[in-house]
């Protein structure tokens, strides 16, 4: 049975995808094709390159200071973090705030995969043409350029230019791109890591959070409309609260909050395949 896996965008909340990959690894389930948007494209590309879910977790954990890290932990990560910081460049005033080319190259520096054709699992990466509002799907050619385009959150990261097109974050048009897998797989799993909203809160958000929050509302609305017409076989939406799009200190919080949804996914897959993790 061909399994298609769609990993949605959501900034740092996208690290919840790692738990999904670990569950698939434990069950011996290998996707036949992956589609990803923004952070989902990044995590999906790492997995498609041959890394396991556990290896991706270890790679990511080296790069950021976590909330409960000790000074010893921070010192051990120092070299990796300095290289990560050096990989970013700031572009003012026209092209956005941060150019992510160096970040993507650094993240994949140990993998040596530079094209879609080199990946072990076929991958689709979603971006948006800024001027035509079209969805652009990459599945061949330069992998890192496609990833840079897919994660170019408007107003935060600089747009990418590929083939004469100006491209921004794929979530603008397709937050969780499971629809591209429905006719290419026998069974589809969609993972939505968009923000879980606390309906009891009346706190006024800051400027950046207002922009990103409104962006997320539009993405989630478009996804809900798409779900009315054709759904994936399994859809999970981890309830991740209190985590902003770029709050990298809270990776462990994300893992903890996402665990119940991933446990449910694991049970659904065990029932489907008869495999036990």
């Amino acid at each position: 049975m061909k399994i298609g896996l769609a990993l949605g965008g959501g900034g740092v909340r996208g690290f919840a995808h790692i738990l999904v990959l670990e569950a698939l690894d434990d069950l011996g389930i290998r996707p036949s094709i992956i589609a990803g948007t923004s952070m989902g494209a990044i995590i999906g590309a790492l997995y498609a390159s041959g890394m396991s879910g556990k290896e991706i977790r270890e790679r990511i954990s080296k790069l950021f200071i976590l909330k409960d890290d000790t000074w010893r932990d921070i010192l051990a990560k120092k070299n990796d973090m300095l290289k990560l910081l050096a990989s970013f460049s700031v572009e003012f005033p026209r092209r956005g705030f941060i150019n992510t080319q160096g970040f993507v190259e650094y993240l994949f520096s140990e993998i040596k995969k530079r094209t879609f054709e080199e990946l072990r699992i076929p991958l689709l990466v979603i971006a948006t043409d800024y001027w035509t509002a079209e969805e652009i799907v990459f599945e061949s050619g330069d992998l890192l350029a496609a990833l840079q385009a897919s994660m170019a959150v408007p107003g935060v990261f600089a747009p990418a230019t590929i083939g004469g097109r100006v491209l921004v974050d794929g979530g603008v048009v397709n937050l969780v791109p499971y629809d591209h897998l429905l006719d290419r797989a026998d069974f589809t799993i969609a993972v939505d890591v968009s923000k879980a909203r606390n309906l009891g809160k009346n706190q006024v958000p800051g400027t950046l959070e207002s922009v990103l929050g409104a962006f997320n509302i539009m993405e989630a609305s478009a996804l809900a409309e798409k779900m009315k017409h054709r759904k994936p076989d399994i859809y999970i939406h981890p309830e991740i609260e209190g985590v902003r799009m770029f709050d990298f200190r809270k990776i462990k919080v994300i893992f903890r909050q996402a665990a119940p949804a991933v446990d449910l996914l694991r049970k659904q897959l065990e029932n489907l395949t008869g495999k036990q993790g």
Side-chain angles (χ1 to χ4, degrees), residues 4-211:
L5 176 64
L7 304 177
V12 70
R13 294 185 298 273
F15 290 141
H17 294 315
I18 296 172
L19 272 68
V20 172
L21 300 178
E22 289 177 333
L24 295 178
D25 290 341
D26 289 345
L27 293 169
I29 296 174
R30 182 180 175 85
S32 298
I33 187 168
I34 300 171
T37 295
S38 198
M39 184 61 81
I42 295 287
I43 300 298
L46 291 171
Y47 193 69
S49 74
M51 294 181 74
S52 67
K54 180 180 179 182
E55 288 170 337
I56 297 173
R57 182 195 286 250
E58 292 171 351
R59 175 82 169 132
I60 294 299
S61 295
K62 286 181 181 179
L63 301 179
F64 304 103
I65 297 176
L66 307 183
K67 195 170 183 179
D68 55 353
D69 274 352
T70 65
W71 279 107
R72 182 171 293 181
D73 294 328
I74 294 171
L75 287 173
K77 297 178 180 182
K78 182 181 70 172
N79 289 336
D80 286 300
M81 290 190 300
L82 288 174
K83 290 177 183 176
L84 178 67
L85 288 173
S87 71
F88 286 102
S89 63
V90 179
E91 296 187 358
F92 293 109
R94 291 188 59 195
R95 293 193 59 201
F97 296 113
I98 301 172
N99 186 311
T100 58
Q101 180 178 352
F103 166 72
V104 174
E105 290 177 351
Y106 176 67
L107 193 60
F108 284 79
S109 60
E110 295 181 7
I111 300 171
K112 311 302 181 187
K113 306 292 186 187
R114 292 294 179 271
T115 67
F116 283 86
E117 289 78 9
E118 295 175 83
L119 298 174
R120 297 185 183 181
I121 301 173
L123 175 70
L124 310 179
V125 171
I126 310 302
T128 304
D129 186 309
Y130 177 80
W131 291 111
T132 68
E134 292 177 273
E135 178 181 4
I136 306 299
V137 182
F138 293 97
E139 54 182 312
S140 63
D142 189 335
L143 173 64
L144 302 193
L147 295 174
Q148 183 188 356
S150 185
M151 65 177 289
V153 177
V156 180
F157 297 134
T161 303
I162 301 176
R165 292 178 179 268
V166 178
L167 303 174
V168 296
D169 193 297
V172 173
V173 291
N174 199 341
L175 181 61
V176 187
Y178 68 84
D179 47 308
H180 291 287
L181 306 178
L182 294 173
D183 296 326
R184 301 176 67 165
D186 303 312
F187 193 89
T188 54
I189 302 168
V191 187
D192 177 9
V193 292
S194 60
K195 187 174 184 178
R197 300 196 170 273
N198 188 331
L199 300 181
K201 270 196 171 184
N202 293 309
Q203 181 180 353
V204 178
T207 303
L208 179 59
E209 190 63 18
S210 294
V211 173

